[in-house]
């Protein structure tokens, strides 16, 4: 049995039809040839975009010359009311400064320090889902969303999701996501920069409510840091880290921007990855049994997680087949040459984990579920 995959659209459609399909479902709006092509140009009288599947080109955009390919402004437009100047939206020097302050809290051994908080969230999720083993179908996404939010609050602010403010932030975020998707249509149909961006008033209201709640949490924490009562969690670590170049720490406003993105980026993505993993395990019971057996060896020690090899491979396969961030968009800042084609300044460069992960020239059996691939040459070399 093959895991589900959205069908592709016909090769030729009008721009109008494309936009209609896109609104319904971004993946079904794409033609099948993108699973074979190294690059595809999308040209209209108003804008050009280039989907790039060639690993060398992706390396150039993300690793060799990232400053020349900033994140597209169009993606940020829809998220700015909530995320302000968070690291997800900034570019250049601002982004580098923010990362100098954030990165030390997430480096190497520090994951070990947050592990007890993650373990506690995992135990709580297991208790909540106990009744699920009743042979009936269950909607798993609300459960994984709950669990992911719990991990974020426990690791960041040392509070469980049941905390009153945490529950309110979680509820508001879910309604925000209903009105505003991370990857919005505006990213693909860029208008001129002077064009005003309209937000639904509901979106703006929800963003304001979320930011007010996060500001409360951040201010309380600043106070606790001053009085020496702050727990040693991620929020304290980040808020007490100074930029080694300027000696400055984040202001409350800047920290609110970062907490908003940690929550949005960390919660929706992890929830999706976990939900698809559990879905795939339900489709392939032999893997479910193998993982249950492996889980018997798990203890509350951080080091025991790295021994879960089969679990890791199933998780990788879920991330490959259903990447939580299916596409990302960058912009050219000067004329470029991609695969012997001239690309103008201001073009949108679309990087698509969705297509890369199922690319017919990169993978054996690209649409199949096969966790054993990660131990083969094909899995290791890609
Ligand atoms: C399975 C889980 C996750 C997936 C698949 C995922 C995926 C991604 C991807 C693809 C990007 C790059 C976006 C771009 O450059 O356009 C990104 C950025 C980011 N993610 Fe995640 N993410 C996950 C979990 C998390 C978690 C748990 C956090 C919480 C701390 C987080 C925080 C961020 C932040 C802050 C950025 C922006 C980084 C920057 O631009 O400097 N993500 N994520």
């Amino acid at each position: 049995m093959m895991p589900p995959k959205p069908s592709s659209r016909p090769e030729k459609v009008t721009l109008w039809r494309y936009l209609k399909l896109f609104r319904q479902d971004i993946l079904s709006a794409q033609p099948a040839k993108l699973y074979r092509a190294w690059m595809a140009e999308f040209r209209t009288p108003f804008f050009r975009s280039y989907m790039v599947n060639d690993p060398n080109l992706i390396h150039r955009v993300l690793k060799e010359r990232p400053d020349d390919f900033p994140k597209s402004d169009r993606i940020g437009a829809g998220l700015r009311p909530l995320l302000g100047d968070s690291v997800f939206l900034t570019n250049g020097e601002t982004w580098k400064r923010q990362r100098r302050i954030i990165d030390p809290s997430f480096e190497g051994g520090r994951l070990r320090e947050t592990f007890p908080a993650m373990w506690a969230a995992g135990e709580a999720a297991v208790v909540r889902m106990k009744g699920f083993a009743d042979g009936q179908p269950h909607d798993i996404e609300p459960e994984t969303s709950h669990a992911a939010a719990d991990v974020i609050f426990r690791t960041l602010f040392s509070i469980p999701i049941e905390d009153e403010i945490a529950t309110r932030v979680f509820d508001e975020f879910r309604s925000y996501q209903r009105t505003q998707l991370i990857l919005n249509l505006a990213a693909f149909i860029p208008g001129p920069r002077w064009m005003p961006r309209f937000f639904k008033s509901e979106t703006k209201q929800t963003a304001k409510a979320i930011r007010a709640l996060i500001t409360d949490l951040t201010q309380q924490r600043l106070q606790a840091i001053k009085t020496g009562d702050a727990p040693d969690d991620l929020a304290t670590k980040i808020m007490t880290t100074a930029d080694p170049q300027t000696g400055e720490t984040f202001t409350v406003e800047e920290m609110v921007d970062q907490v908003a993105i940690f929550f949005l980026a960390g919660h929706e993505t992890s929830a999706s990855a976990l939900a698809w993993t559990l879905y795939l395990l339900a489709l392939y019971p032999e893997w479910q049994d193998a993982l249950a057996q492996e889980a018997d060896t798990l203890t509350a020690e951080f080091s025991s997680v790295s021994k879960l090899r089969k679990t890791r491979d199933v998780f990788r396969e879920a991330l490959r087949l259903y990447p939580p961030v299916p596409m990302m968009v960058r912009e050219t800042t000067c004329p470029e040459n991609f695969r012997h084609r001239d690309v103008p300044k201001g073009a949108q460069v679309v990087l698509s984990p969705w297509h890369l992960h199922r690319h017919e020239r990169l993978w054996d059996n690209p649409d199949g579920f096969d966790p054993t691939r990660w131990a083969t040459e094909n899995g290791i070399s890609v």
Side-chain angles (χ1 to χ4, degrees):
M1 188 209 308
M2 292 297 257
K5 176 185 181 184
S7 51
S8 302
R9 69 152 163 86
E11 288 297 323
K12 291 226 172 299
V13 290
T14 61
L15 177 61
W16 179 242
R17 174 106 183 98
Y18 175 68
L19 296 179
K20 266 184 85 172
L21 286 167
F22 193 108
R23 269 187 96 86
Q24 282 161 14
D25 162 16
I26 174 177
L27 297 172
S28 310
Q30 313 305 327
K33 67 174 181 205
L34 297 185
Y35 294 109
R36 291 183 295 278
W38 290 127
M39 185 168 100
E41 186 176 9
F42 191 64
R43 205 187 263 239
T44 78
F46 318 107
F47 69 95
R48 285 196 205 175
S49 67
Y50 296 80
M51 180 177 286
V52 172
N53 284 336
D54 174 345
N56 292 324
L57 263 181
I58 295 169
H59 198 261
R60 188 192 304 172
V61 171
L62 292 180
K63 300 281 275 188
E64 286 164 26
R65 294 171 40 213
D67 288 344
D68 294 335
F69 299 99
K71 296 160 191 156
S72 163
D73 227 23
R74 276 90 191 187
I75 285 282
L79 293 164
R80 221 165 277 284
L82 175 65
L83 302 181
D85 266 342
S86 84
V87 75
F88 191 73
L89 300 181
T90 52
N91 281 305
E93 285 313 309
T94 310
W95 176 79
K96 286 179 192 163
R97 185 181 67 80
Q98 293 174 337
R99 289 294 302 247
R100 285 198 297 270
I101 297 178
I102 293 170
D103 286 7
S105 301
F106 289 91
E107 264 160 17
R110 288 227 147 153
L111 196 57
R112 185 183 299 276
E113 295 164 25
T114 50
F115 183 70
M118 295 186 202
W119 182 265
E123 281 190 319
V126 168
V127 170
R128 278 195 304 274
M129 288 166 68
K130 269 239 148 68
F132 275 35
D134 58 1
Q136 298 300 313
H138 288 277
D139 186 0
I140 203 71
E141 198 275 341
E143 294 304 319
T144 59
S145 177
H146 194 141
D150 201 17
V151 170
I152 304 245
F153 279 111
R154 287 175 192 262
T155 52
L156 205 55
F157 281 110
S158 302
I159 50 177
I161 185 76
E162 287 76 24
D163 172 274
E164 195 203 327
I165 298 189
T167 305
R168 281 167 60 202
V169 174
F170 178 51
D171 291 345
E172 294 283 0
F173 258 105
R174 281 190 79 85
S175 52
Y176 187 84
Q177 277 160 233
R178 277 193 288 275
T179 62
Q180 183 64 53
L181 297 172
I182 280 214
L183 195 72
N184 56 14
L185 187 61
F188 286 79
I189 40 166
R193 268 174 216 287
W194 45 262
M195 195 170 82
R197 302 266 159 197
F198 296 106
F199 299 106
K200 286 185 198 149
S201 65
E202 195 191 337
T203 309
K204 273 207 278 200
Q205 281 306 323
T206 315
K208 229 172 128 179
I210 295 172
R211 288 187 67 89
L213 291 165
I214 298 177
T215 305
D216 271 2
L217 281 175
T218 309
Q219 255 155 358
Q220 280 173 25
R221 176 52 58 89
L222 198 62
Q223 203 47 42
I225 291 171
K226 280 188 189 145
T227 54
D229 305 323
D232 183 25
D233 52 21
L234 285 172
T236 300
K237 285 190 173 101
I238 296 169
M239 288 170 77
T240 54
T241 302
D243 175 1
Q245 289 188 13
T246 65
E248 281 170 18
T249 49
F250 278 143
T251 61
V252 167
E253 180 78 0
E254 281 176 309
M255 185 62 189
V256 170
D257 293 347
Q258 311 309 338
V259 173
I261 186 56
F262 292 161
F263 198 83
L264 191 72
H267 149 247
E268 202 185 341
T269 45
S270 314
S272 159
L274 209 51
W276 280 111
T277 305
L278 292 171
Y279 175 88
L280 287 165
L281 287 180
L283 280 192
Y284 302 93
E286 67 284 11
W287 280 98
Q288 186 166 164
D289 291 345
L291 263 55
Q293 213 173 26
E294 202 174 60
D296 282 342
T297 65
L298 191 64
T299 65
E301 301 296 311
F302 180 62
S303 56
S304 81
V305 177
S306 62
K307 301 201 180 93
L308 305 179
R309 296 286 158 83
K310 285 184 183 162
T311 310
R312 183 197 61 193
D313 289 350
V314 167
F315 201 66
R316 282 182 174 170
E317 196 63 345
L319 283 169
R320 185 184 70 82
L321 287 168
Y322 303 105
V325 181
M327 287 184 204
M328 301 176 263
V329 189
R330 298 292 192 263
E331 218 167 78
T332 55
T333 50
C334 55
E336 298 284 346
N337 191 279
F338 285 179
R339 296 185 63 83
H340 311 295
R341 220 179 289 178
D342 287 331
V343 173
K345 177 182 167 181
Q348 305 290 291
V349 181
V350 181
L351 309 170
S352 174
W354 178 272
H355 290 94
L356 268 176
H357 292 187
R358 292 171 182 262
H359 204 278
E360 291 163 17
R361 300 202 224 172
L362 292 174
W363 299 96
D364 300 333
N365 184 16
D367 294 326
F369 172 77
D370 177 14
T372 64
R373 77 171 73 241
W374 297 102
T376 69
E377 189 50 37
N378 189 232
I380 293 163
S381 63
V382 178

